[in-house]
Amino acid sequence: MNVLLVYAHPEPTSLNGSIRDFAVGRLRQAGHHVQVSDLYAMNWKACLDADDSAAPREPRFNATAASRHAYDHGLQRADIAAEQEKLRWADALILQFPLWWFSMPAIMKGWVDRVYAAGFAYDVGEHSDRHWGDRYGEGTMAGKRAMLIVTVGGWESHYGPRGVNGPIDDLLFPIQHGVLYYPGFDVLPPYVVYRTGRVDAARFADIRETLGRRLDTLATAAPIPFRPQNRGDYEVPALTLRPDIAPGAVGFAAHIDRGDGGQPACGTAEGGSTNSR
Ligand code: FAD
């Protein structure tokens, strides 16, 4: 497979740096082709703005319209077009980052904001009262796989079903369902390293073991069974779940189809994360 690893950490000798080096080595050993977008090393421009297009400036900047125009007319900045080309090349995308304020670092969010152009990652397909775009299971990335590798300072219990920070699957939902499933990726369960301050040689050996197994099954592991938007589960144009689908289920969990009424347990093996504690 062709694998694109998008990586956000400012320090090459960090835990994240070691994990990235391990992951790239393991994937290459297995015969995969790997490209890394090391966002800090690339000095990636994080802020989406009017400079992202070579088109003449409009009196009022409209982010979606400017993105669509630049994408359709070959006027995008070269850094954006190059990342889109890597995504077209990739069969699998890995986003690797330390959890910063319960989300991805700003530089990676800026990669998503800018690379996910209108017409490329959103605003794809028919938009009408009958069909609200090719998204959530359909779209430009359909047929490709994606996975998160996330390091976390807190304990696993802090991110458990009743943990003070909220369940990790809920915190990652906007990334896994919003950023990855939306443009069509099949999203594999995340690989999460907890309590990073306690990582030593023994813990790192455990990370090599458990992450290695996850990378070995990148092409075959079952994705999180998010519900496709256009399969009939949702009423259009409201795009709410049909009353007979997972009745009573609300919130993020309702959008995962486990065939059990829609209330998954957090952190279970099926669709839950693989963790290093
Ligand atoms: P490092 O600090 O580089 O390393 C961690 C440990 O691993 C160190 O002890 C180091 O010696 C050891 N190590 C590194 N490489 C190896 C190796 N090869 N072998 C063995 N040991 C090694 N945490 C939360 O839980 N929730 C949050 O919302 C959150 N927000 C944050 C916001 C900010 C702005 C910051 C700076 C931190 C935040 N944190 C949060 C903590 C953050 O998630 C962790 O600091 C981060 O995940 C650790 O990853 P690192 O690569 O920076 O680790």
Side-chain angles (χ1 to χ4, degrees):
M1 283 203 302
N2 293 339
V3 182
L4 173 62
L5 195 159
V6 180
Y7 167 83
H9 197 289
E11 173 52 55
T13 66
S14 62
L15 175 62
N16 269 274
S18 296
I19 291 173
R20 174 203 54 193
D21 293 345
F22 167 75
V24 170
R26 181 75 167 228
L27 289 165
R28 287 193 175 138
Q29 235 172 26
H32 300 300
H33 303 282
V34 184
Q35 291 194 68
V36 178
S37 289
D38 181 341
L39 300 180
Y40 279 94
M42 293 158 70
N43 197 20
W44 178 259
K45 171 181 178 288
C47 293
L48 179 161
D49 59 25
D51 290 338
D52 287 340
S53 169
R57 296 263 178 128
E58 296 291 330
R60 180 180 171 278
F61 175 62
N62 177 313
T64 299
S67 172
R68 177 98 226 183
H69 183 79
Y71 181 73
D72 287 348
H73 296 87
L75 295 171
Q76 299 179 112
R77 271 178 63 127
D79 57 348
I80 295 175
E83 294 303 299
Q84 290 168 350
E85 202 43 50
K86 290 181 196 172
L87 281 170
R88 287 191 193 93
W89 166 88
D91 303 304
L93 168 68
I94 297 175
L95 300 181
Q96 186 196 334
F97 56 91
L99 194 72
W100 280 1
W101 288 109
F102 305 101
S103 189
M104 52 175 60
I107 198 169
M108 183 174 278
K109 179 59 163 50
W111 181 88
V112 177
D113 288 348
R114 297 181 60 238
V115 175
Y116 272 32
F120 179 65
Y122 70 103
D123 246 352
V124 174
E126 176 192 335
H127 278 75
S128 68
D129 278 1
R130 287 175 296 114
H131 186 98
W132 202 274
D134 296 347
R135 59 176 198 170
Y136 293 122
E138 298 175 341
T140 306
M141 307 304 161
K144 300 175 187 284
R145 311 191 126 221
M147 176 178 139
L148 303 183
I149 298 177
V150 189
T151 65
V152 177
W155 297 19
E156 185 172 14
S157 60
H158 303 174
Y159 292 92
R162 286 165 61 81
V164 66
N165 293 329
I168 193 72
D169 290 345
D170 284 4
L171 294 177
L172 297 180
F173 186 90
I175 302 174
Q176 298 194 130
H177 185 262
V179 170
L180 296 175
Y181 191 57
Y182 186 109
F185 285 108
D186 287 330
V187 186
L188 307 186
Y191 180 81
V192 184
V193 178
Y194 291 101
R195 215 174 173 185
T196 48
R198 293 297 180 92
V199 173
D200 54 13
R203 283 278 312 278
F204 198 73
D206 173 67
I207 291 169
R208 279 203 301 267
E209 178 64 31
T210 49
L211 177 57
R213 280 203 299 270
R214 289 296 312 277
L215 295 174
D216 290 347
T217 58
L218 192 61
T220 54
I224 301 170
F226 290 128
R227 297 181 189 280
Q229 174 185 282
N230 298 323
R231 184 178 65 179
D233 295 26
Y234 297 91
E235 293 180 317
V236 285
L239 292 180
T240 49
L241 273 175
R242 277 182 9 223
D244 57 311
I245 302 262
V250 295
F252 296 151
H255 304 288
I256 299 178
D257 178 11
R258 293 172 193 275
D260 64 353
Q263 289 288 16
C266 172
T268 51
E270 189 203 348
S273 46
T274 307
N275 308 323
S276 173
R277 298 169 180 87

